[in-house]
Amino acid sequence: MKQAFFMRCLFFITGIIVLSFGITLTIKGQLFGVGSWDVLHIGLTKSIGLSIGTWSILLGLAILAFDMAITKKFPLPGTFIDMFLAGIFIDIFNYWLPDIDGFWMQLISYLTGLVLLGWGCGMYMVANLGIGPRDTLMLLMVHKLGWSVTRSRTTMEVTVAVIGFLLGGPIGIGTLLMAFGLGPIVQFALTFNEKLFMRWTGVKSAVV
């Protein structure tokens, strides 16, 4: 039992670090656009100030407050840990990594970031310790509005991307690639890390 919990924590923390690094690489390659939420985070940074990671945390807190007001339920501790650590690591990596110039270097940065983002998502989700605020909002839309996951996710992503673009955030082909290409990467990462988790602990994570 202790080993399984330790491995859950290891997968959870490592996954968050990997996805945060991936997000930062897509930001460094933003010539091609970034994910919808990062369009909003960057737009808020340009128009108001504060760091990208700080806006990620602040919006996450707002989403969780809204979710708790509607559902009257308190999120799992892992949801808060995910939110704060992701925001902190995004700012750390964004500070450490140099800006990238040139078409090909930005393309490599973006594509590498996309893969790492998807892999990190699949890895931290295997831990089954709580999901991020954005996924919480999506599930709230599904349960309260009766929408499908696809409709809820698409509506949410398009809305925040448009708002972020109006605030000065970068939109490009990479934004569309993120919307349609991230899912398969996350699914592959979930399956792979689920098998790895079971091999090391003998316990199924109950995610996939």
Side-chain angles (χ1 to χ4, degrees), residues 8 17 35 55 58 73 77 82 84 124 128-129 133 143 153 157 163 165 171 179-180 187 208:
R8 287 186 190 279
I17 293 174
W55 279 115
L58 291 177
K73 295 180 180 179
D82 167 31
F84 281 107
Y124 101 85
N128 204 23
L129 295 176
H143 295 148
R153 170 65 71 176
E157 296 288 329
I163 295 173
F165 177 72
I171 282 183
F180 294 101
Q187 185 61 56
V208 295

Side-chain angles (χ1 to χ4, degrees), residues 12-24 27 38 41 51-58 60 78-94 117 120-121 124 131-134:
F12 186 73
I13 299 299
T14 304
I16 291 174
I17 293 174
V18 171
L19 76 87
S20 300
F21 187 62
I23 289 173
T24 306
I27 292 172
D38 291 312
H41 299 153
S51 67
I52 296 171
T54 299
W55 279 115
S56 176
I57 293 172
L58 291 177
T79 297
F80 290 96
I81 296 173
D82 167 31
M83 176 183 63
F84 281 107
L85 286 185
I88 291 170
F89 278 116
I90 287 171
D91 278 348
I92 290 175
F93 290 136
N94 202 35
L117 170 56
C121 284
Y124 101 85
I131 59 175
R134 282 90 182 153

